[in-house]
């Protein structure tokens, strides 16, 4: 008798046929599974939903609309095809093959119609209508629970008909097992038995883990609270993600009863039972950089090959264009976002490639605007304020959930691989500021809380802004003016001081710029606006530089950086806290970042001198260059290449490097 569409066997056979079909052949995955000697492990079998939809829309629709039933049938079909492939391997090869007990079909919805908003909503838009369908959610893992042993099924025997049946735990009842009221065996007719006995050694256990996923704050509006959802991982999916990871989770949305409390209404908490989990920490798929865009970048630099600094300044004008001037700050922001190249020596010691920037300035100097614009330029960013952050909120906190202690990621962990902006840095308590020392330098956070001892990754660029303590006194060290300790200041590669001094000429220019922006009909700046890169182009450019360029120092760059570092070590200034090995590392990072900004894989003398100018700008008293001036009043020059030539000549004379470069040229 042939199976009909109402019979599960009919669909199981169709799914098995699909897995072995020549056009959608999954035998390579099945052969890889079959070659493993472990028969008790749980193996994933990855299926593209778009391919399944093209092969048989009926199966795809059932997988989508009745996931709970038909994903189990798909697992049975995978085991059936595994046995077929196993028989072929046993006949063709001398190797011993072992039949596997557990194979789970994992659905990948990438490139399929399930990426539409109805089946791929934000976590905050999950509603009752999504219950029971194959749903996909995207977010950041903020909490990762312990891996537990979970009872998946057990068998009972009916006293009346002597038949056994399988009972599964109910997620809705917090994984408790409840027996049926009457015997569920229907063949040849219901027996009506009400007494059952547990069959020994029939319990099947699974690995089990609960994680909490929160929607990204970048997709939310102002004032919106990010929502989160509990995700259940089983078998091969456990321990594949950790706190701070960006994930896309596909699974079945269901509900779970909240704990029963006297005189308290019992609610249903949404839970996503994961079928597939993808880590997307690299975020390469989020930014589409086509060959045409790359060609535009190359053509841009071909146009400015004779005046490269003019081309660089054209790019820098796109950073926070609503703020007039502040060339030094915009250059520092660009170099910080681009960063240097991470270095690992022979002993395994890692020197970070990410740079850190701190803006110290009077109120009204545009610090917060730069922070917000930098967050838009970064693929992954977290913005917080010192007044509203604690050490636990910045690093990691231990929370108790259901009698179990778990770690919940803070701002620095959530910004792993991106940018963490901390406004009002001075409002943080001294204890809270001390907790981020390790995160900034070693790029890890060591945790020992509530019996949980671990290390979390914080490969993060820190961008801070703070106000000086009272009136800024140039004669006092930076640590006295900001109440920030010397060790913490030394971890910032660039510390820019923006002093709102009275300058009538500057005030006249700034007021004219602000008034022209307030009148949209004025067309005096149309030509300048046409040359400013839009945010999307600037974001793609920075992302492309970080992916493609790994600059290496030339001999000239090494000579300039080494000479400057040695001269700074000899000079006794109020910047003694920063004239350490960290300054040398900062110089290298900034020089590499500038080489990337200039679309090069080689750090030249130009990059080294520019890095020195950035370091000099971040000092309250300059040991070498006396013409830096207030960073707040720095402006874009008409001929930056000529201006740089003067600054380079001055710096090389102070360093005494001219003779060395003459010798290098003679050797070449």
């Amino acid at each position: 008798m042939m199976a009909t569409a109402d019979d599960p066997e009919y669909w199981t056979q169709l799914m098995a046929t699909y897995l072995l079909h020549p056009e959608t052949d999954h035998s390579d995955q099945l052969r890889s599974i079959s070659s493993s000697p472990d028969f008790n492990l749980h193996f994933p079998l990855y299926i593209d939903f778009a391919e399944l939809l093209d092969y048989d829309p009926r199966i795809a629709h059932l997988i989508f609309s009745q996931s709970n039933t038909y994903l189990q049938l798909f697992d049975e079909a995978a085991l059936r095809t595994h046995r077929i492939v196993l028989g072929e391997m046993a006949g063709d090869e001398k190797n011993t093959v072992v039949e596997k007990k557990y194979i789970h079909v994992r659905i990948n919805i990438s490139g399929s119609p399930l990426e539409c908003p109805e089946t791929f909503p934000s976590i905050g838009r999950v509603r009752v209508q999504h219950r029971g369908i194959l749903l996909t959610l995207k977010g950041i893992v903020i909490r990762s629970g312990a891996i537990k042993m979970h009872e998946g099924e057990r068998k009972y025997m009916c006293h009346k008909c002597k038949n056994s049946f399988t009972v599964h735990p109910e997620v809705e009842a917090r994984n408790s097992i409840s027996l049926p009221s009457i015997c569920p065996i229907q063949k040849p007719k219901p027996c009506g038995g009400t007494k059952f006995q547990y069959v020994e050694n029939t319990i099947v256990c699974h690995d089990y883990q609960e994680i909490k996923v929160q929607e990204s704050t970048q997709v939310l509006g102002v004032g919106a609270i990010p929502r989160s959802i509990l995700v259940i991982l089983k078998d091969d999916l456990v321990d594949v993600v950790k706190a701070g990871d960006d994930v896309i989770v596909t699974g079945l949305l269901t509900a779970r009863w909240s704990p029963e409390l006297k005189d308290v209404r019992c609610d249903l908490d949404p839970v996503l039972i994961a079928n597939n989990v993808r880590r997307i920490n690299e975020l390469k798929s989020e930014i589409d950089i086509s060959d045409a865009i790359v060609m535009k970048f190359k053509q841009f630099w071909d146009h400015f090959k004779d005046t490269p600094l003019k081309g660089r300044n054209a790019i820098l004008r796109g950073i926070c264009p609503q703020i007039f001037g502040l060339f030094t700050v915009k250059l520092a922001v660009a170099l910080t976002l681009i960063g240097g190249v991470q270095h690992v020596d022979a002993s395994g010691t890692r020197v970070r490639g990410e740079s850190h920037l701190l803006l110290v300035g009077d109120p009204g100097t545009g610090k917060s605007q730069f922070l917000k614009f930098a967050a838009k330029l970064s693929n992954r960013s977290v913005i917080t304020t010192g007044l509203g952050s604690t050490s636990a909120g910045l690093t990691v906190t231990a929370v108790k959930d259901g009698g179990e202690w778990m770690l919940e990621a803070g701002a620095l962990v959530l910004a792993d691989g991106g940018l963490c902006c901390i406004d009002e840095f001075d409002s943080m308590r001294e204890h809270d500021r001390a907790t981020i020392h390790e995160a900034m330098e070693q790029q890890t956070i060591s945790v020992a809380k509530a019996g949980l001892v671990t290390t979390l990754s914080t490969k993060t660029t820190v961008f801070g802004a703070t106000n000086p303590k009272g009136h800024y006194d140039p004669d006092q060290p930076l640590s006295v003016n900001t109440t920030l300790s010397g060790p913490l200041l030394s971890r910032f590669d660039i510390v820019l001081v923006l002093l709102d001094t009275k300058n009538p000429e500057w005030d006249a220019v700034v007021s004219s710029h602000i008034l022209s922006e307030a009148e949209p009909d004025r067309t005096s700046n149309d030509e300048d606006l046409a040359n400013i890169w839009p945010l999307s182009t600037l974001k793609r450019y920075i992302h492309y530089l970080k992916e493609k360029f790994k600059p290496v120092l030339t001999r000239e760059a090494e000579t300039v950086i080494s000479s400057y570092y040695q001269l700074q070590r000899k000079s006794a200034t109020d910047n003694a806290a920063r004239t350490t090995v960290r300054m040398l590392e900062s110089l290298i990072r900034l020089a590499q970042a500038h080489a990337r900004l200039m679309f090069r894989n080689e750090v030249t003398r130009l990059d080294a001198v520019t890095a020195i100018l950035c370091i000099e700008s971040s000092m309250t008293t300059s040991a070498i260059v006396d013409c830096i001036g207030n960073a707040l009043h720095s402006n874009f020059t008409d001929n930056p290449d000529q201006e740089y030539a003067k600054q380079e000549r001055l710096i090389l004379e102070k360093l005494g490097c001219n003779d060395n470069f003459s010798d290098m040229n003679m050797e070449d």
Side-chain angles (χ1 to χ4, degrees):
M1 181 177 177
M2 290 185 62
T4 62
D6 297 330
D7 189 352
E9 175 63 25
Y10 172 79
W11 296 106
T12 305
Q13 185 59 41
L14 278 181
M15 293 170 182
T17 305
Y18 159 75
L19 292 175
L20 293 176
H21 194 275
E23 295 181 1
T24 61
D25 191 13
H26 295 84
S27 58
D28 289 341
Q29 286 191 65
L30 292 168
R31 284 178 177 274
S32 177
I33 293 171
S34 302
S35 61
S36 175
D38 299 312
F39 62 93
N40 272 328
L41 291 181
H42 293 259
F43 297 90
L45 180 64
Y46 295 100
I47 302 296
D48 287 330
F49 190 84
E51 182 185 80
L52 178 62
L53 182 65
D54 185 58
Y55 174 79
D56 193 333
R58 297 176 303 165
I59 299 177
H61 181 265
L62 291 172
I63 291 293
F64 163 70
S65 59
Q66 302 178 46
S67 307
N68 194 28
T69 300
Y70 286 90
L71 280 176
Q72 293 181 15
L73 296 180
F74 221 154
D75 291 349
E76 294 178 13
L79 284 172
R80 186 175 299 183
T81 53
H82 160 67
R83 297 188 192 102
I84 296 174
V85 172
L86 204 67
E88 296 174 354
M89 293 179 66
D92 296 342
E93 302 177 13
K94 298 180 181 179
N95 298 331
T96 304
V97 289
V98 182
E99 184 176 337
K100 307 301 182 294
K101 292 184 179 180
Y102 310 106
I103 298 178
H104 305 284
V105 172
R106 304 300 183 196
I107 306 295
N108 178 20
I109 69 155
S110 179
S112 74
L114 293 190
E115 289 186 318
C116 65
E118 288 76 14
T119 57
F120 198 162
S122 62
I123 295 176
R125 295 187 177 275
V126 172
R127 299 292 184 267
V128 174
Q129 66 189 33
H130 298 117
R131 187 172 183 267
I133 66 173
L134 193 66
L135 188 68
T136 303
L137 300 175
K138 175 183 173 183
I140 303 173
V141 180
I142 61 171
R143 187 187 300 176
S144 180
I147 299 174
K148 301 177 181 179
M149 185 179 293
H150 164 70
E151 182 179 339
E153 62 182 60
R154 64 167 66 178
K155 288 188 177 181
Y156 284 87
M157 184 181 68
C158 177
H159 278 278
K160 187 174 182 180
C161 66
K162 303 302 180 182
N163 287 317
S164 60
F165 56 90
T166 302
V167 178
H168 298 275
E170 298 179 6
V171 175
E172 292 81 358
R174 293 189 173 267
N175 296 326
S176 62
I177 289 181
S178 58
L179 294 176
S181 56
I182 60 173
C183 178
I185 304 297
Q186 300 290 325
K187 297 179 181 179
K189 63 180 180 177
C191 74
T194 58
K195 293 184 178 180
F196 314 108
Q197 180 182 358
Y198 164 65
V199 181
E200 296 290 337
N201 301 322
T202 58
I203 293 179
V204 177
C205 292
H206 302 269
D207 291 324
Y208 179 91
Q209 184 185 23
E210 292 183 2
I211 64 174
K212 202 169 189 178
V213 179
Q214 177 182 286
E215 61 185 330
S216 175
T217 55
Q218 292 182 323
V219 300
L220 300 177
V222 177
I225 299 174
R227 307 298 178 183
S228 58
I229 190 170
L230 199 68
V231 178
I232 295 176
L233 307 179
K234 293 181 181 179
D235 304 321
D236 57 293
L237 297 180
V238 303
D239 207 26
V240 298
V241 295
K242 62 183 185 301
D245 284 342
D246 278 317
V247 294
I248 293 179
V249 185
T250 301
L252 176 68
L253 182 70
T254 183
R256 189 164 70 176
W257 295 102
S258 59
E260 295 181 6
L261 299 174
K262 186 178 180 180
D263 298 329
V264 176
R265 183 181 63 185
C266 188
D267 294 324
L268 284 168
D269 299 326
V271 176
L272 188 71
I273 304 175
N275 170 265
N276 192 15
V277 178
R278 284 190 293 149
R279 294 174 69 242
I280 54 168
N281 286 9
E282 295 80 9
L283 293 175
K284 293 179 181 178
S285 59
E286 293 231 335
I287 297 184
D288 180 25
I289 303 178
S290 63
D291 294 337
I293 294 176
V294 176
M295 183 58 65
K296 285 185 178 180
F297 294 154
K298 293 179 179 178
Q299 291 173 353
F300 174 85
W301 284 108
D302 287 340
H303 177 71
F304 287 103
K305 62 181 178 181
D306 296 327
T307 55
L309 293 182
K310 195 170 183 179
R312 179 202 66 183
N313 289 5
I315 297 174
L316 294 181
R317 288 179 189 273
I319 296 178
C320 226
Q322 70 272 20
I323 294 181
F324 177 78
L326 272 70
F327 163 77
T328 304
V329 182
K330 294 181 179 182
L331 176 61
V333 170
L335 297 184
T336 302
L337 289 173
I338 294 170
V341 181
Q342 179 180 292
H343 171 66
V344 182
D345 61 15
S347 64
T349 304
R350 188 178 68 180
V351 179
R352 62 181 169 92
E354 285 71 26
S355 302
H356 304 310
L357 171 63
L358 177 66
L359 297 182
V360 181
D362 296 323
T365 52
K367 302 185 299 297
S368 298
Q369 292 191 52
F370 277 110
L371 254 69
K372 292 177 181 178
F373 193 86
K376 294 178 182 178
L377 285 176
S378 178
N379 300 335
R380 184 176 185 179
S381 61
V382 175
I383 301 180
T384 183
T385 60
L387 191 63
S389 301
T390 62
S391 59
L394 281 174
T395 55
V396 66
T397 182
V399 294
K400 198 170 186 179
D401 186 12
E404 177 192 350
W405 285 98
M406 290 186 290
L407 294 178
E408 191 161 298
L412 288 168
V413 179
L414 294 179
D416 183 32
L419 176 69
C420 183
C421 298
I422 307 175
D423 205 354
E424 306 294 342
F425 206 82
D426 57 316
S427 301
M428 296 171 58
R429 294 178 300 174
E430 183 63 32
H431 168 71
D432 298 337
R433 291 199 292 257
T435 59
I436 67 175
H437 285 203
E438 180 193 358
M440 292 179 67
E441 192 62 34
Q442 278 75 40
Q443 297 191 318
T444 58
I445 290 178
S446 300
V447 184
K449 296 181 179 182
L452 304 172
V453 182
T454 185
T455 301
L456 299 177
S457 173
T458 58
K459 194 176 178 182
T460 307
T461 296
V462 176
F463 188 175
T466 180
N467 295 322
K469 184 186 69 172
H471 181 70
Y472 192 92
D473 186 359
D475 297 329
Q476 294 293 330
L478 197 59
S479 57
V480 175
N481 281 292
T482 59
T483 69
L484 301 178
S485 63
L488 180 58
L489 287 172
S490 69
R491 283 164 168 79
F492 286 99
D493 296 83
I494 305 177
V495 182
L496 291 181
V497 180
L498 307 177
L499 299 180
D500 191 9
T501 57
K502 295 180 180 179
N503 187 326
E505 295 180 2
W506 179 261
D507 293 341
V509 173
V510 170
S511 61
S512 176
H513 174 76
I514 295 174
L515 289 170
S516 65
E517 283 199 337
E519 299 180 25
D521 294 335
R522 291 180 63 170
T523 58
S524 57
N525 293 327
D526 281 358
E527 185 177 349
D528 294 336
L529 291 173
N531 296 326
I532 293 178
W533 281 19
L535 176 65
S536 58
T537 303
L538 201 56
K539 188 173 183 177
R540 284 184 171 88
Y541 183 70
I542 292 175
H543 183 79
Y544 180 77
L545 296 179
K546 295 172 74 172
E547 288 292 323
K548 298 297 181 183
F549 291 95
K550 309 292 180 185
V552 180
L553 270 71
T554 60
R555 287 179 57 194
E556 286 190 348
E558 289 179 353
T559 302
V560 172
I561 292 175
S562 177
S563 301
Y564 176 78
Y565 172 69
Q566 293 176 40
L567 189 59
Q568 281 287 3
R569 291 290 288 176
K570 292 177 183 177
S571 62
T573 67
D574 63 345
N575 301 291
R578 301 191 67 237
T579 52
T580 61
V581 175
R582 285 186 183 145
M583 170 183 278
L584 182 60
E585 294 172 352
S586 296
L587 282 168
I588 296 173
R589 278 192 291 269
L590 294 174
Q592 290 173 334
H594 192 265
R596 281 175 162 177
L597 178 60
M598 303 295 289
F599 217 68
R600 289 198 311 264
N601 250 327
E602 193 177 65
V603 180
T604 63
R605 190 196 316 176
L606 165 65
D607 306 314
V609 172
T610 305
I612 290 174
L613 290 172
C614 287
I615 293 292
E616 290 283 322
S617 301
S618 68
M619 294 183 177
T620 52
T621 58
S622 177
I624 296 177
V625 183
D626 301 324
C627 59
I628 294 297
N630 189 350
L632 182 65
H633 297 162
S634 59
N635 200 359
F636 290 84
T637 59
D638 294 331
N639 297 305
D641 296 273
Q642 295 179 10
E643 185 70 23
Y644 164 76
K646 298 177 184 177
Q647 292 175 332
E648 182 191 55
R649 185 166 59 252
L650 176 62
I651 288 178
L652 295 183
E653 287 177 0
K654 295 282 187 178
L655 296 178
C657 295
N658 287 324
D659 296 337
N660 294 333
F661 292 138
S662 299
D663 295 339
M664 289 182 189
N665 293 332
M666 291 179 65
E667 290 178 6
D668 296 338

